[in-house]
Amino acid sequence: MKVRVRLAPSPTGTLHIGTARTALFNWLYARHLGGDFLVRIEDTDKERSKSEYTKNILEGLNWLGINWDEPPVLQSKNLSAHQDNIKILLDQGLAYRCFATEEELEEMRAAQKSQGKPPRYDNRHRDLSQNEQEAFKQKGRTAVVRFRIDNEAFIEWDDLIRGPMSWKGEDLGGDMVISRRAPAEEIGEPLYNLAVVSDDSAMGITHVIRGEDHIANTAKQILLYKAMKLNIPKFAHTPLILNKEGRKLSKRDGVTSINDFQELGYTSEALVNYMALLGWSVPEGMEERFTLQEAAKAFSFERVNKAGAKFDWDKLNWLNAQVIHGWSNEVLLKNLSPLWVQSGWQLPPKDWCIKLVELLRPSLILIKDGLNQASPFFEEPTLQEDGNKQLQQEGAKESIKELLIQLDKTPWDGIQSNQAKEILAITANSAGIKKGLLMKSLRAALLGTMNGPDLITTWGLLARIGKDRKRLISRV
Ligand code: GLU
């Protein structure tokens, strides 16, 4: 049987890292076994669902390289199928209309609370007689539809990640609402568990892989599958993603949506690589830096942890640097030049830009580091504390003046680095300046700081666009 898995996001927000990681585990499993990965947009909450979020979710998956095999399904399109299923359950007496008002339910919960009991529906309308039902209808009461959950029910499944799981019917909160309140003759809006079972079955889903926060739903859904006489898929519950304090990663942690990571300058390759490692560990002999295809080949649920996965920024940064350092000059330039252009910078000819990205590459961790670090090549850098300190050293400014004199005699166009080294040597020798002092002062004068990439290449790039001498003159 061909494996068919799905991601079923609710479009009530942008693509969250947790949802993206669930998508990835589904995708890896499907690709590993040559199965299908599908997407179903669970857009039945009309108030909170927005088409822009659907767009964001699909674009985010696409950016990460998580592709789907059939056009995304919109859950709202399946409304009548959901209602048909509810009707069948009603006809078979497996579900019933509950006429309890919100106030009555509130009272019931308050009483449970005062007795120190957890809230649960007390199944009060489970066995209403025909007359009792009629009486409620006469009073104009609306009703929800509830699915019977026997206290004695015992639900078991073999979770692909967590092993044997079991749940008691009595721990599921009483008979479950499967459709919202509506006039008593109608069937209201179907609710999550019913809709999911109905859709997963219609889509031929063989494996439901989702976050561990859905474990109780799985128990309820298995009861629905049985009642509706449908094939029960296999289940895998993935571990939560935790922040550094060990709590569930949430909006309060700041960065949680895929867009946030994109904006911070993470590459899709590094992010998706890192996401795979959030819960999955590579088999022996496999490097932690891998492509999606390599991960798909090696993926199995045996190596997915049950315990929550702590988010580790250092590892993500390390992976991101690895990805960027592995890019060719062309690819790096393609990623950086739009940022430079957005900053209003005029770009010199391509061979110059290629040299610049080559120079910056080793120190880049995030893509946008290539914006900050390129800045002194396009804009006049401010003199920072360390640069200023260097230029205040005895003989520092004089060394730059001597260099300028030498440059008047033998101008350097920035091409031959040997020539630059020679000019520096002649300057040091003829004026009796220590070479170290000259080099450090040159760096401070060119970049305004003592940090930065290779000095001769930096100088060469500035010289080729006629920026070096002007800058040196301004510093002395
Ligand atoms: N719409 C549900 C969610 O986003 C889907 C859960 C599931 O995969 O069944 O949590």
Side-chain angles (χ1 to χ4, degrees), residues 332-343 345 347 353 357:
L332 188 51
L333 181 58
K334 221 168 107 193
N335 276 275
L336 294 184
S337 56
L339 304 181
W340 296 345
V341 171
Q342 269 166 33
S343 298
W345 297 343
L347 304 194
C353 293
V357 298

Side-chain angles (χ1 to χ4, degrees), residues 268-322:
S268 58
E269 292 97 314
L271 188 57
V272 89
N273 186 158
Y274 180 64
M275 273 166 28
L277 294 171
L278 275 172
W280 177 63
S281 53
V282 292
E284 212 145 309
M286 180 172 168
E287 305 243 344
E288 286 205 313
R289 159 95 186 95
F290 45 72
T291 64
L292 272 184
Q293 282 63 34
E294 287 161 348
K297 213 165 147 200
F299 189 79
S300 76
F301 283 122
E302 273 103 71
R303 303 194 68 84
V304 175
N305 230 317
K306 286 199 253 313
K310 254 195 190 169
F311 200 92
D312 178 352
W313 286 98
D314 290 338
K315 190 174 247 179
L316 174 59
N317 286 340
W318 175 78
L319 283 168
N320 209 58
Q322 298 295 306

Side-chain angles (χ1 to χ4, degrees), residues 70 222 377:
E70 288 172 17
I222 287 176
F377 293 87

